[in-house]
Amino acid sequence: MKEAIVKPGPQVQIIDSPIPTPGPEQLLIRVIASGSNPKDWKLADLRPDSPINQGDDIAGVVEKVGANVYEFRPGDRVAAFHEMMTPHGSYAEYAVAWAHTAFHIPQETSFEEAAALPLAAMTAAIGLYLRLGLRQPWEAATEERNGPLVIYGASSAVGIYAVQFAIRSGIHPLICVAGRAKEYVEGFLEKDKGDAVVDYRQSDEDLVKALKGALGGRKVYHALDAVSEKGSPQILAQVLEQEGSKVTFVLHGRKEIPESIEQSTTLVGSVHKDAKDFGFIYFRYMARGLREGWFKPQRAEVVPGGLGGVQKALENLKAGKASAVKYIFRIGETEGVSLNGSNGHL
């Protein structure tokens, strides 16, 4: 099979590899569409001596199941979150995923749409519910846990899924920070409940004033930072209450904010470690949301050439050219690969 290995730069090399074999709790998936993420080039740069297939967003058809798998069978349309920094990722004709991080794709959802979901959507869920401790969507609403909530980087993949989960949980007002794609974010919000978008493209002082203005005098104790760099932690530190607040970041490392504000890092890889049950539940909840229509995939842009388009997409991600869009690859378009149903539905 064809497989793309990501090296520092980013530089992408397409190689021939044997088709992997799934373990007892795993699925072998024939990949129809693969999504990309900024971590794909970042981790390659951080680990130059360990080049690997960095793809983690899988959408395709089950080829084979492990001995202990009971929810899936060959022929099922599925999406899955591949375990990061392990072999057999989604930049290949066939990928391996753990069954608890896979979910059935509703017929209304295309492979390309589904490939935009797993890593980013799960990151958003972990940030809101495990790290910030906000109420789950199925819990009864209570005023003290209803918001406000600040989502910094709301037009990013993680951000737009956080917006949707928060709305499902009845958390308002949502104060969202975005830039070029602020109109995209506004399309998800419930303005009659105080939700608003603040443009970050202004001075730090003006941005803080705008955030406080959007809050309308309300105190805010929770923030999810889907950017976590370029001054966003410091901005949030000036908006959050100095005592009793929580903020979670999507990037490693302690941020320079007051010690009185509780900070955490949202690591999506935890669903392959200590948060397996959480991952199991929320991936299936996402599938239900897709079918019922209250959960929408991020906007996707299919990059031509299949695996041959991975390098260009990662270069664009590194250069910050992606705005409210997920780069997707149809594996069947890869040179040397026979078309394998990449038209979106079987």
Side-chain angles (χ1 to χ4, degrees):
M1 70 172 187
K2 298 295 182 183
E3 180 176 27
I5 303 299
V6 183
K7 300 179 180 180
Q11 292 292 323
V12 177
Q13 179 184 9
I14 299 176
I15 64 173
D16 290 310
S17 299
I19 296 175
T21 300
E25 310 284 345
Q26 295 178 324
L27 310 176
L28 176 66
I29 302 169
R30 177 166 57 88
V31 185
I32 305 299
S34 171
S36 59
N37 295 282
K39 54 122 310 231
D40 298 349
W41 69 263
K42 291 179 179 180
L43 289 184
D45 282 358
L46 288 173
R47 303 184 182 187
D49 297 328
S50 304
I52 196 171
N53 172 348
Q54 288 283 356
D56 295 318
D57 284 332
I58 307 168
V61 178
V62 175
E63 183 79 10
K64 186 182 298 185
V65 301
N68 298 334
V69 173
Y70 60 91
E71 287 184 278
F72 305 96
R73 60 185 180 182
D76 285 351
R77 302 171 72 248
V78 297
F81 173 39
H82 169 260
E83 184 174 0
M84 295 187 296
M85 295 307 296
T86 65
H88 316 315
S90 65
Y91 291 160
E93 293 182 70
Y94 293 88
V96 169
W98 294 92
H100 78 276
T101 58
F103 58 94
H104 293 280
I105 302 174
Q107 286 299 319
E108 300 84 357
T109 304
S110 70
F111 288 114
E112 291 83 357
E113 291 172 324
L117 279 160
L119 185 152
M122 184 54 65
T123 302
I126 291 171
L128 293 179
Y129 304 118
L130 285 185
R131 300 297 170 250
L132 295 182
L134 298 174
R135 73 181 186 88
Q136 311 283 351
W138 47 82
E139 293 178 346
T142 56
E143 185 175 351
E144 65 270 19
R145 298 180 69 186
N146 248 14
L149 169 67
V150 177
I151 300 176
Y152 202 112
S155 65
S156 68
V158 172
I160 207 63
Y161 293 130
V163 167
Q164 294 182 72
F165 277 130
I167 289 173
R168 184 68 175 177
S169 289
I171 298 170
H172 298 282
L174 297 180
I175 309 302
C176 300
V177 181
R180 288 176 291 168
K182 62 181 182 179
E183 292 183 0
Y184 174 59
V185 177
E186 287 174 342
F188 289 89
L189 302 183
E190 299 180 6
K191 295 182 180 180
D192 60 326
K193 297 181 180 178
D195 297 349
V197 180
V198 175
D199 196 321
Y200 71 84
R201 295 173 296 180
Q202 52 189 309
S203 70
D204 289 357
E205 181 180 359
D206 287 342
L207 177 53
V208 170
K209 288 180 180 178
L211 286 167
K212 291 182 176 180
L215 286 164
R218 302 180 187 90
K219 294 181 179 180
V220 59
Y221 292 93
H222 297 97
L224 185 152
D225 190 347
V227 176
S228 305
E229 59 185 355
K230 300 177 181 178
S232 61
Q234 289 73 28
I235 295 294
L236 290 172
Q238 297 178 67
V239 177
L240 289 164
E241 290 298 303
Q242 296 300 294
E243 298 289 340
S245 290
K246 294 182 179 180
V247 58
T248 190
F249 301 103
V250 298
L251 296 181
H252 284 281
R254 300 285 295 181
K255 311 301 179 187
E256 295 181 2
I257 62 175
E259 291 185 2
S260 59
I261 297 176
E262 180 182 327
Q263 65 171 290
S264 62
T265 305
T266 294
L267 300 176
V268 69
S270 61
V271 298
H272 288 120
K273 297 175 183 176
D274 59 346
K276 291 182 179 180
D277 289 351
F278 183 91
F280 177 88
I281 292 168
Y282 263 93
F283 276 126
R284 282 141 190 80
Y285 193 61
M286 290 176 205
R288 177 182 172 186
L290 290 170
R291 181 175 56 81
E292 294 180 347
W294 57 261
F295 199 60
K296 306 287 187 183
Q298 187 194 22
R299 293 188 299 196
E301 178 181 323
V302 176
V303 181
L307 296 177
V310 172
Q311 179 161 327
K312 179 61 176 178
L314 298 189
E315 289 173 349
N316 285 349
L317 287 173
K318 186 174 184 178
K321 294 182 179 180
S323 178
V325 67
K326 172 77 75 170
Y327 292 129
I328 301 296
F329 317 102
R330 294 184 179 124
I331 305 304
E333 295 181 358
T334 307
E335 184 177 353
V337 172
S338 60
L339 190 65
N340 60 357
S342 59
N343 59 348
H345 292 284
L346 286 181

